[in-house]
């Protein structure tokens, strides 16, 4: 790739230097500066202030709520992703294309629209609202609503990693295993899972990052009750609008570290071959190839 | 198509998939459409064409178009530099291109606002040139450009990597200039990926909320995006209006999805992957 024996287009030293300088300068302005400002602000009053903000009960509760939401939603999402990939790649049935579109749909929909939509299902003015109220079940403005909205927003993450990969791997290995008498579960755990584990982990890492950072959808369904239904991103907004800038950035720095860890994990997993089966990276609707009529 | 299913687990996997898709995805979207449809055509039309709503569409679409145009140029330059040149920090930049996806939008929002505020690192410099970013449409564009940056880079990058050097060499041996080769040989090969990335970036910008509301100032008619208007209607307990405006965004998302799928199918055909 880098053998530049005959100079390729754009290899003239002047152009090279110009383009690299342009990319470095704009990249610094647009990516590095916002990243740096988060930590600069978080520690602008020194370590003790930072530590006391993080230790504040409201912040701790926001972290707790975010982690609990992820602990519920990510495993469910993973099971769904595996099931969807298994159903779509191991069998032939009609309506496959429609099902794929429905799985990928949440990536195309604004989180705000998702939040509003959930309101019209579980809210008082929604489909099940009156029913839920008479049964005294609280979904909106409580943990279940936050979990459901988060699951909507992150629905495609694991499935979209597994579907193209399992498509490419075909069915031969699993068919061989079952024909030799292995049960379905045994086939899955000993034949399929070893082949898809890195892609699955890749999907889980991205799903978790998006879920813990989700703002729009959760802000509609959570009700923003301080110390009760505020996830970490919502808590950041609240502190910021309260002019507690250091506190807001201290809380933001936690999510920033999560983002950086996610990027490192992503690079490491890509070295294992994960994430190669589609072009765009973390979000965005990706058309899954549907040439499965074999 | 096979008649018999050889592998086990069809019922279980299909059951889980359909339940999840029905409850998590289809039900809320259906409820939103149902709510918007129950408004009646006159009320619906009055809400979605109110002056404030129309202004919010204009702000959103124009800002998204400007941000996408910026990313088209910068994204192509970035992808080109990452694929074709060796320079210190190349791999770090390659990894950090994903930061806008990995960083929560609220965090991006407050960080960009602080950097571009009139007393911030860039804002104070820009203020000396009489350019105001925060609380103006320019701020909306900055937030949109940040959150949608990775799309164009990540769709163009693999195509650029797979580009056959022989094509350029052939053009060079025929005496064509670099600019000419870029325009007539390379750009046409990149166009499908560029278009697919552009539509993804544009769609993302249309729906973006978290990063924008901090930097936009949110003045009705001027710096209020459509997503925020839907949110404000909810906070005012004006549920029909929220449903109507959200349904317009949903419709726009479906249109963008169709466009993106079409362009992506084309891109895949061209790159034969």
């Amino acid at each position: 790739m880098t053998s530049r024996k005959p100079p390729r287009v754009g290899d003239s030293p002047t152009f090279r230097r110009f383009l690299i300088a342009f990319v470095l300068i704009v990249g610094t302005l647009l990516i590095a500066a916002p990243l740096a400002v988060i930590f600069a602000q978080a520690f602008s009053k020194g370590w003790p202030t930072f530590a006391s903000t993080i230790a504040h009960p409201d912040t701790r509760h926001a972290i707790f709520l975010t982690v609990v939401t992820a602990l519920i939603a990510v495993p469910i999402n993973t099971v769904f992703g595996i099931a969807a990939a298994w159903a779509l790649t191991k069998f032939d049935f009609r309506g496959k294309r429609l099902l794929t579109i429905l799985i990928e749909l949440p990536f195309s929909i604004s989180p705000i629209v998702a939040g509003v939509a959930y309101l019209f299902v579980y809210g008082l003015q929604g489909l099940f609202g009156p029913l839920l109220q008479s049964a005294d079940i609280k979904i909106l403005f409580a943990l279940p609503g936050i979990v459901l909205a988060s699951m909507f927003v992150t629905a495609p993450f694991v499935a979209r990693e597994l579907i193209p990969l399992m498509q490419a791997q075909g069915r031969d290995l699993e068919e061989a295993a079952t024909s030799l008498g292995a049960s379905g579960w045994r086939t899955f755990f000993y034949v399929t899972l070893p082949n898809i584990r890195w892609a699955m982990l890749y999907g889980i890492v991205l799903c978790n990052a998006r879920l813990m950072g989700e703002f729009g959808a959760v802000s509609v369904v959570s009700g923003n009750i301080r110390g009760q239904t505020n996830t970490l991103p919502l808590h950041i907004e609240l502190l910021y609008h309260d002019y507690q800038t250091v506190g807001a950035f201290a809380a933001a720095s936690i999510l920033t570290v999560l983002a950086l860890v996610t990027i490192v994990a992503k690079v490491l997993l890509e070295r294992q071959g994960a994430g190669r089966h589609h072009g765009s990276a973390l979000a965005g609707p990706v058309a899954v190839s549907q040439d499965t009529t074999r | 198509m096979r008649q018999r299913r050889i592998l086990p687990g069809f019922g279980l996997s299909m059951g889980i998939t359909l339940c999840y898709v029905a409850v998590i995805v289809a039900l809320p979207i259906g409820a939103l459409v149902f709510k918007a449809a129950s408004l009646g055509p006159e009320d619906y039309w009055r809400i979605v064409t109110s002056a404030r709503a129309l202004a919010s569409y204009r702000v959103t679409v124009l800002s998204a178009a400007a941000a996408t145009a910026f990313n088209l140029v910068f994204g192509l330059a970035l992808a080109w530099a990452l694929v074709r040149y060796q320079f210190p920090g190349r791999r770090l930049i390659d990894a950090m291109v994903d930061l806008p996806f990995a960083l929560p939008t609220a965090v991006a929002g407050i960080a960009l606002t602080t950097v571009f505020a009139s007393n911030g690192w860039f804002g104070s410099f820009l203020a000396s040139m009489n350019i105001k970013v925060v609380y103006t449409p320019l701020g909306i564009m900055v937030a949109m450009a940040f959150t949608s940056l990775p799309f164009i880079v990540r769709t163009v990058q693999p195509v650029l990597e797979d580009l056959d050097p022989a094509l350029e060499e052939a053009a060079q041996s025929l005496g064509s200039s670099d600019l000419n080769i870029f325009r007539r040989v390379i750009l046409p090969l990149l166009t499908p990926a560029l278009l697919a990335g552009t539509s993804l970036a544009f769609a993302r910008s249309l729906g973006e909320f978290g990063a924008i509301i901090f930097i936009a100032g949110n003045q009705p008619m001027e710096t209020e995006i459509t997503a925020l208007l839907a949110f404000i209607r909810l906070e005012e307990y004006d549920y029909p209006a929220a449903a109507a405006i959200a349904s317009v965004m949903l419709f726009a998302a479906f249109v963008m999805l169709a466009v993106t799928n079409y362009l992506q199918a084309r891109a895949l055909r061209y790159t034969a992957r």
Side-chain angles (χ1 to χ4, degrees):
Chain A
M1 200 168 66
T2 50
S3 70
R4 292 183 282 108
K5 276 291 144 55
R8 294 181 69 179
V9 171
D11 275 356
S12 79
T14 338
F15 184 74
R16 258 177 85 89
R17 279 191 207 117
F18 165 75
L19 200 68
I20 290 173
F22 173 70
V23 162
L24 286 177
I25 291 169
V26 180
T28 310
L29 293 180
L30 204 58
I31 294 176
L35 193 59
V37 89
I38 296 166
F39 293 103
Q41 290 282 336
F43 291 104
S44 61
K45 295 263 163 57
W47 173 260
T49 316
F50 176 85
S52 72
T53 321
I54 301 290
H56 190 280
D58 285 350
T59 308
R60 285 210 329 246
H61 186 271
I63 297 171
F64 168 75
L65 187 61
T66 299
V67 171
V68 168
T69 307
L71 283 178
I72 300 171
V74 174
I76 297 177
N77 204 308
T78 307
V79 170
F80 160 69
I82 293 169
W86 186 270
L88 281 165
T89 61
K90 302 298 177 199
F91 308 103
D92 300 306
F93 55 90
R94 286 156 62 117
K96 218 176 219 192
R97 179 104 190 99
L98 180 69
L99 188 56
T100 314
I101 290 174
L102 276 171
I103 292 171
E104 299 240 323
L105 197 56
F107 273 157
S108 311
I109 292 174
S110 171
I112 281 293
V113 175
V116 174
Y118 267 91
L119 221 55
F120 292 132
V121 180
Y122 303 104
L124 258 187
Q125 59 293 318
L127 291 180
F128 304 148
L131 196 73
L132 288 166
Q133 199 190 29
S134 60
D136 207 22
I137 300 172
K138 215 162 156 49
I139 292 196
L140 279 188
F141 314 128
L143 183 64
I146 296 172
V147 171
L148 285 169
S150 303
M151 291 207 296
F152 177 95
V153 173
T154 55
F157 273 104
V158 176
R160 76 199 286 268
E161 296 305 325
L162 295 185
I163 292 169
L165 177 66
M166 284 165 70
Q167 194 95 67
Q169 287 174 345
R171 305 170 190 174
D172 297 348
L173 289 175
E174 284 85 1
E175 284 173 2
T178 45
S179 73
L180 291 171
S183 73
W185 289 113
R186 201 176 155 84
T187 306
F188 174 75
F189 281 111
Y190 287 93
V191 178
T192 311
L193 197 57
N195 284 328
I196 62 167
R197 59 186 171 179
W198 297 121
M200 189 179 81
L201 204 54
Y202 190 82
I204 291 173
V205 166
L206 301 190
C207 172
N208 180 64
R210 175 66 203 269
L211 193 139
M212 287 194 164
E214 177 50 32
F215 179 75
V218 173
S219 110
V220 174
V221 299
S222 96
N224 279 314
I225 308 165
R226 191 193 281 245
Q228 283 182 39
T229 62
N230 255 0
T231 60
L232 202 43
L234 298 181
H235 189 60
I236 292 169
E237 185 204 18
L238 190 129
L239 291 172
Y240 187 78
H241 285 149
D242 273 358
Y243 299 102
Q244 300 185 37
T245 313
V246 175
F249 278 102
S253 70
I254 302 173
L255 285 173
T256 309
V257 170
L258 172 73
L260 293 175
V261 170
T262 302
I263 288 177
V264 171
K266 185 173 171 290
V267 170
L268 293 178
L269 286 167
E270 274 166 3
R271 280 195 202 147
Q272 302 288 340
R276 285 221 186 111
H277 288 268
H278 52 80
S280 64
L282 277 144
V286 163
V288 175
S289 69
Q290 283 300 300
D291 308 319
T292 50
T293 34
R294 11 174 251 173
Chain B
M1 202 173 270
R2 288 159 192 228
Q3 290 306 306
R4 250 171 49 81
R5 300 198 164 101
I6 295 172
L7 292 169
F10 181 74
L12 180 67
S13 64
M14 201 61 183
I16 294 173
T17 306
L18 288 180
C19 277
Y20 192 96
V21 166
V23 174
I24 299 293
V25 181
L27 175 68
I29 292 174
L32 173 62
V33 172
F34 176 75
K35 188 79 184 175
S38 65
L39 268 173
E42 273 143 52
D43 282 342
Y44 183 83
W45 191 248
R46 185 178 47 77
I47 293 166
V48 300
T49 60
S50 70
R52 193 165 163 189
L54 290 176
S56 81
Y57 308 149
R58 204 191 61 228
V59 170
T60 311
V61 171
L62 290 181
S63 307
T68 309
F70 167 81
N71 273 338
L72 191 59
V73 175
F74 178 57
L76 177 60
L78 190 50
W80 184 279
L82 289 175
V83 172
R84 294 247 175 161
Y85 304 147
Q86 293 290 328
F87 55 94
R90 187 185 67 89
R91 290 177 60 171
L92 180 68
I93 293 180
D94 194 8
M96 293 310 277
V97 166
D98 286 325
L99 185 76
F101 282 156
L103 198 66
T105 53
V107 176
I110 62 170
L112 287 170
T113 310
T114 307
V115 171
F116 283 99
S118 56
N119 58 354
W121 295 347
F122 304 154
S124 49
F125 171 71
L126 291 170
S128 68
M129 297 190 301
N130 256 331
I131 301 173
K132 214 170 156 326
V133 177
V134 169
Y135 310 141
T136 70
L138 203 55
I140 301 177
M141 286 174 218
V142 168
M144 286 176 170
F146 178 83
T147 47
S148 64
L149 168 69
F151 285 109
I152 290 171
V153 182
R154 293 300 189 221
T155 43
V156 173
Q157 220 174 354
V159 184
L160 214 45
E161 272 164 11
D162 293 345
L163 216 59
D164 186 357
L167 293 170
E168 288 164 50
E169 281 161 23
Q172 274 167 337
S173 73
L174 294 169
S176 189
S177 72
D178 270 15
L179 185 65
N180 224 356
I181 297 173
F182 178 76
R183 248 186 39 218
R184 310 196 44 180
V185 179
I186 299 175
L187 202 55
L189 289 167
L190 295 182
T191 303
L194 272 173
L195 282 176
T198 304
S199 71
L200 284 171
F202 186 68
R204 170 69 196 258
S205 294
L206 288 184
E208 183 51 41
F209 176 75
I212 297 171
I213 55 160
F214 294 96
I215 204 169
N218 309 324
Q219 282 300 312
M221 311 297 290
E222 276 160 38
T223 51
E224 183 179 68
I225 54 165
T226 309
L228 180 69
L229 184 59
F231 188 77
I232 287 173
R233 291 292 181 245
L234 273 186
E235 298 210 306
E236 294 168 350
Y237 304 105
D238 189 352
Y239 295 110
I245 292 164
S247 76
V248 171
M249 293 186 67
L250 187 66
F251 179 71
F254 281 132
V255 171
M256 285 312 298
L257 183 65
V259 169
T260 307
N261 266 330
Y262 169 75
L263 291 173
Q264 222 151 27
R266 249 175 59 125
L268 287 173
R269 199 161 64 227
Y270 273 85
T271 53
R273 290 218 301 167

